[in-house]
Amino acid sequence: MATAKRATEPISLKPAVNPATGLVTVNVFDGSRQPMPQDKSILLTVHDGAQNQLFRDFVNGPSIQLELPFHNNFADNYSIIAFADGYEQAGFQPVPIGPNAPSELDLMLLPKNGTFHFAGARWTDVVAQKPLLGQIFAASVPGPASDAYSELMEDRPDRLACLLNITTALQQISLPQNSPLDYFKTFDLAALAADRIFGFADATLVDQVRLAAQHGEFDT
């Protein structure tokens, strides 16, 4: 059975002493990317890869350490789901474990009936804080970029949120040279969706991704 430790207890990221178990630290955040308050009860559910429920109970966040059985087979691909009152549940699968490789999982719980909040993501904020994104966006529209950005914010806030989230992630990926976003020329704003973006990039990006994969950064 899994055991959960409260966030107030020290969390060790050292390999599990018991070779028959593995450690997973679950970090729970709210929709503003802030850690959940410690006094907020979180319902945590854990299934192993064979769909056996090993843990389901309320715990205090924002970080919970789980010690789970290690089988050395498909059953080690766990699914972990978190829920809190007033929030949508969130989960992830597979969460692989091993006795010598502690895992860490970040989950974000969005508030129910939540709305988009762009107070810190106006066009002037983008130009000042994310100049590369601003340059690519400006090159993607025929007229004033500020007008196109404001129109997207008012009419399709879900698509703008997707653009901001994905481009932020792209800029945080380290390729052998630069980040993936550095190779983008324009975005296809007409094709934006709530879960994906499209654009035109320098073909060198393909070579950079292959090199990064060869270095073990990620899989192609």
Side-chain angles (χ1 to χ4, degrees):
M1 293 293 290
T3 58
K5 296 182 179 180
R6 297 182 181 276
T8 53
E9 299 180 20
I11 295 177
S12 172
L13 295 182
K14 296 181 180 179
V17 176
N18 187 348
T21 65
L23 299 179
V24 181
T25 300
V26 183
N27 304 307
V28 185
F29 301 86
D30 63 18
S32 63
R33 301 184 180 181
Q34 298 300 310
M36 277 288 189
Q38 288 190 352
D39 59 353
K40 185 67 173 179
S41 294
I42 300 169
L43 178 61
L44 201 66
T45 305
V46 180
H47 290 84
D48 65 16
Q51 298 306 307
N52 297 308
Q53 181 174 296
L54 300 188
F55 183 84
R56 182 177 174 84
D57 201 356
F58 285 95
V59 297
N60 289 336
S63 294
I64 307 97
Q65 183 175 279
L66 301 171
E67 185 171 359
L68 303 171
F70 176 66
H71 308 88
N72 198 28
N73 57 32
F74 69 93
D76 297 323
N77 291 321
Y78 284 83
S79 64
I80 300 178
I81 301 172
F83 169 80
D85 187 39
Y87 294 83
E88 303 287 351
Q89 73 175 20
F92 191 83
Q93 193 277 333
V95 180
I97 71 162
N100 298 312
S103 299
E104 192 161 1
L105 175 65
D106 294 337
L107 295 176
M108 178 180 290
L109 305 187
L110 299 178
K112 290 185 177 179
N113 303 317
T115 59
F116 293 100
H117 186 61
F118 295 106
R122 304 289 179 180
W123 175 248
T124 53
D125 299 316
V126 171
V127 172
Q129 301 174 21
K130 296 179 177 291
L132 177 58
L133 172 59
Q135 293 170 15
I136 302 171
F137 190 95
S140 306
V141 297
S146 58
D147 292 346
Y149 188 89
S150 297
E151 182 178 348
L152 191 60
M153 181 184 297
E154 294 174 4
D155 298 339
R156 298 311 303 253
D158 56 339
R159 297 184 183 184
L160 177 58
C162 176
L163 178 67
L164 294 174
N165 287 337
I166 292 181
T167 53
T168 297
L170 287 174
Q171 202 161 17
Q172 292 175 347
I173 296 174
S174 295
L175 296 175
Q177 294 182 2
N178 302 317
S179 74
L181 190 63
D182 286 284
Y183 295 92
F184 271 74
K185 303 300 183 183
T186 60
F187 300 121
D188 186 350
L189 298 179
L192 276 180
D195 61 348
R196 68 200 69 185
I197 69 172
F198 298 89
F200 298 90
D202 192 304
T204 308
L205 175 59
V206 177
D207 297 328
Q208 288 293 307
V209 171
R210 287 173 176 165
L211 285 173
Q214 291 174 7
H215 296 158
E217 296 297 329
F218 52 83
D219 294 329
T220 54

